[in-house]
PDB file of all heavy atoms in Angstrom:
ATOM      1  N   TYR H 329     -19.158  39.383  -6.825  1.00  0.00           N
ATOM      2  CA  TYR H 329     -19.158  38.362  -5.776  1.00  0.00           C
ATOM      3  C   TYR H 329     -17.738  38.074  -5.295  1.00  0.00           C
ATOM      4  O   TYR H 329     -17.456  38.078  -4.102  1.00  0.00           O
ATOM      5  CB  TYR H 329     -19.815  37.087  -6.309  1.00  0.00           C
ATOM      6  CG  TYR H 329     -19.686  35.913  -5.372  1.00  0.00           C
ATOM      7  CD1 TYR H 329     -20.497  35.821  -4.239  1.00  0.00           C
ATOM      8  CD2 TYR H 329     -18.737  34.922  -5.588  1.00  0.00           C
ATOM      9  CE1 TYR H 329     -20.368  34.759  -3.364  1.00  0.00           C
ATOM     10  CE2 TYR H 329     -18.595  33.861  -4.721  1.00  0.00           C
ATOM     11  CZ  TYR H 329     -19.415  33.782  -3.602  1.00  0.00           C
ATOM     12  OH  TYR H 329     -19.271  32.739  -2.742  1.00  0.00           O
ATOM     13  N   PHE H 330     -16.831  37.840  -6.239  1.00  0.00           N
ATOM     14  CA  PHE H 330     -15.475  37.470  -5.839  1.00  0.00           C
ATOM     15  C   PHE H 330     -14.766  38.612  -5.127  1.00  0.00           C
ATOM     16  O   PHE H 330     -14.007  38.395  -4.194  1.00  0.00           O
ATOM     17  CB  PHE H 330     -14.656  37.016  -7.042  1.00  0.00           C
ATOM     18  CG  PHE H 330     -14.910  35.583  -7.396  1.00  0.00           C
ATOM     19  CD1 PHE H 330     -15.475  35.226  -8.608  1.00  0.00           C
ATOM     20  CD2 PHE H 330     -14.591  34.574  -6.506  1.00  0.00           C
ATOM     21  CE1 PHE H 330     -15.717  33.903  -8.913  1.00  0.00           C
ATOM     22  CE2 PHE H 330     -14.832  33.253  -6.812  1.00  0.00           C
ATOM     23  CZ  PHE H 330     -15.400  32.915  -8.019  1.00  0.00           C
ATOM     24  N   LEU H 331     -15.025  39.846  -5.583  1.00  0.00           N
ATOM     25  CA  LEU H 331     -14.339  40.965  -4.941  1.00  0.00           C
ATOM     26  C   LEU H 331     -14.887  41.210  -3.540  1.00  0.00           C
ATOM     27  O   LEU H 331     -14.157  41.647  -2.657  1.00  0.00           O
ATOM     28  CB  LEU H 331     -14.429  42.221  -5.805  1.00  0.00           C
ATOM     29  CG  LEU H 331     -13.513  42.162  -7.025  1.00  0.00           C
ATOM     30  CD1 LEU H 331     -13.594  43.448  -7.819  1.00  0.00           C
ATOM     31  CD2 LEU H 331     -12.063  41.906  -6.619  1.00  0.00           C
ATOM     32  N   ILE H 332     -16.160  40.919  -3.325  1.00  0.00           N
ATOM     33  CA  ILE H 332     -16.698  41.067  -1.964  1.00  0.00           C
ATOM     34  C   ILE H 332     -16.151  39.954  -1.085  1.00  0.00           C
ATOM     35  O   ILE H 332     -15.734  40.157   0.049  1.00  0.00           O
ATOM     36  CB  ILE H 332     -18.240  41.039  -1.990  1.00  0.00           C
ATOM     37  CG1 ILE H 332     -18.763  42.313  -2.647  1.00  0.00           C
ATOM     38  CG2 ILE H 332     -18.796  40.896  -0.583  1.00  0.00           C
ATOM     39  CD1 ILE H 332     -20.251  42.364  -2.787  1.00  0.00           C
ATOM     40  N   LYS H 333     -16.142  38.763  -1.635  1.00  0.00           N
ATOM     41  CA  LYS H 333     -15.686  37.591  -0.892  1.00  0.00           C
ATOM     42  C   LYS H 333     -14.219  37.748  -0.485  1.00  0.00           C
ATOM     43  O   LYS H 333     -13.828  37.425   0.617  1.00  0.00           O
ATOM     44  CB  LYS H 333     -15.866  36.378  -1.799  1.00  0.00           C
ATOM     45  CG  LYS H 333     -15.562  35.057  -1.175  1.00  0.00           C
ATOM     46  CD  LYS H 333     -16.819  34.428  -0.595  1.00  0.00           C
ATOM     47  CE  LYS H 333     -16.442  33.129   0.082  1.00  0.00           C
ATOM     48  NZ  LYS H 333     -17.226  32.841   1.247  1.00  0.00           N
ATOM     49  N   GLU H 334     -13.421  38.242  -1.383  1.00  0.00           N
ATOM     50  CA  GLU H 334     -11.998  38.388  -1.075  1.00  0.00           C
ATOM     51  C   GLU H 334     -11.425  39.579  -1.856  1.00  0.00           C
ATOM     52  O   GLU H 334     -11.044  39.434  -3.008  1.00  0.00           O
ATOM     53  CB  GLU H 334     -11.245  37.107  -1.450  1.00  0.00           C
ATOM     54  CG  GLU H 334      -9.786  37.142  -1.110  1.00  0.00           C
ATOM     55  CD  GLU H 334      -9.547  37.506   0.336  1.00  0.00           C
ATOM     56  OE1 GLU H 334      -9.863  36.687   1.199  1.00  0.00           O
ATOM     57  OE2 GLU H 334      -9.057  38.631   0.599  1.00  0.00           O
ATOM     58  N   PRO H 335     -11.386  40.725  -1.217  1.00  0.00           N
ATOM     59  CA  PRO H 335     -10.938  41.925  -1.940  1.00  0.00           C
ATOM     60  C   PRO H 335      -9.501  41.812  -2.438  1.00  0.00           C
ATOM     61  O   PRO H 335      -9.110  42.555  -3.328  1.00  0.00           O
ATOM     62  CB  PRO H 335     -11.061  43.035  -0.899  1.00  0.00           C
ATOM     63  CG  PRO H 335     -11.940  42.488   0.157  1.00  0.00           C
ATOM     64  CD  PRO H 335     -11.760  41.009   0.151  1.00  0.00           C
ATOM     65  N   GLU H 336      -8.743  40.903  -1.884  1.00  0.00           N
ATOM     66  CA  GLU H 336      -7.350  40.815  -2.312  1.00  0.00           C
ATOM     67  C   GLU H 336      -7.171  39.890  -3.500  1.00  0.00           C
ATOM     68  O   GLU H 336      -6.045  39.535  -3.853  1.00  0.00           O
ATOM     69  CB  GLU H 336      -6.465  40.387  -1.150  1.00  0.00           C
ATOM     70  CG  GLU H 336      -6.289  41.523  -0.166  1.00  0.00           C
ATOM     71  CD  GLU H 336      -5.440  41.106   1.015  1.00  0.00           C
ATOM     72  OE1 GLU H 336      -4.378  40.517   0.785  1.00  0.00           O
ATOM     73  OE2 GLU H 336      -5.859  41.350   2.158  1.00  0.00           O
ATOM     74  N   GLY H 337      -8.247  39.443  -4.066  1.00  0.00           N
ATOM     75  CA  GLY H 337      -8.133  38.735  -5.330  1.00  0.00           C
ATOM     76  C   GLY H 337      -8.201  37.232  -5.227  1.00  0.00           C
ATOM     77  O   GLY H 337      -8.200  36.644  -4.146  1.00  0.00           O
ATOM     78  N   LEU H 338      -8.277  36.629  -6.402  1.00  0.00           N
ATOM     79  CA  LEU H 338      -8.450  35.180  -6.472  1.00  0.00           C
ATOM     80  C   LEU H 338      -7.279  34.432  -5.864  1.00  0.00           C
ATOM     81  O   LEU H 338      -7.445  33.385  -5.258  1.00  0.00           O
ATOM     82  CB  LEU H 338      -8.610  34.755  -7.937  1.00  0.00           C
ATOM     83  CG  LEU H 338      -9.881  35.205  -8.642  1.00  0.00           C
ATOM     84  CD1 LEU H 338      -9.824  34.834 -10.088  1.00  0.00           C
ATOM     85  CD2 LEU H 338     -11.082  34.562  -7.979  1.00  0.00           C
ATOM     86  N   SER H 339      -6.051  34.968  -6.032  1.00  0.00           N
ATOM     87  CA  SER H 339      -4.901  34.223  -5.528  1.00  0.00           C
ATOM     88  C   SER H 339      -4.980  34.110  -4.009  1.00  0.00           C
ATOM     89  O   SER H 339      -4.681  33.070  -3.432  1.00  0.00           O
ATOM     90  CB  SER H 339      -3.600  34.895  -5.956  1.00  0.00           C
ATOM     91  OG  SER H 339      -3.412  36.062  -5.230  1.00  0.00           O
ATOM     92  N   ARG H 340      -5.441  35.188  -3.368  1.00  0.00           N
ATOM     93  CA  ARG H 340      -5.591  35.159  -1.919  1.00  0.00           C
ATOM     94  C   ARG H 340      -6.692  34.163  -1.526  1.00  0.00           C
ATOM     95  O   ARG H 340      -6.558  33.405  -0.567  1.00  0.00           O
ATOM     96  CB  ARG H 340      -5.931  36.564  -1.415  1.00  0.00           C
ATOM     97  CG  ARG H 340      -6.001  36.691   0.085  1.00  0.00           C
ATOM     98  CD  ARG H 340      -4.708  36.218   0.720  1.00  0.00           C
ATOM     99  NE  ARG H 340      -4.778  36.289   2.160  1.00  0.00           N
ATOM    100  CZ  ARG H 340      -4.327  37.315   2.867  1.00  0.00           C
ATOM    101  NH1 ARG H 340      -3.779  38.339   2.256  1.00  0.00           N
ATOM    102  NH2 ARG H 340      -4.417  37.309   4.162  1.00  0.00           N
TER     103      ARG H 340
END
Side-chain angles (χ1 to χ4, degrees):
Chain H
Y329 172 77
F330 278 116
L331 286 182
I332 290 177
K333 185 93 183 146
E334 183 53 70
E336 286 179 48
L338 292 174
S339 73
R340 185 55 182 265

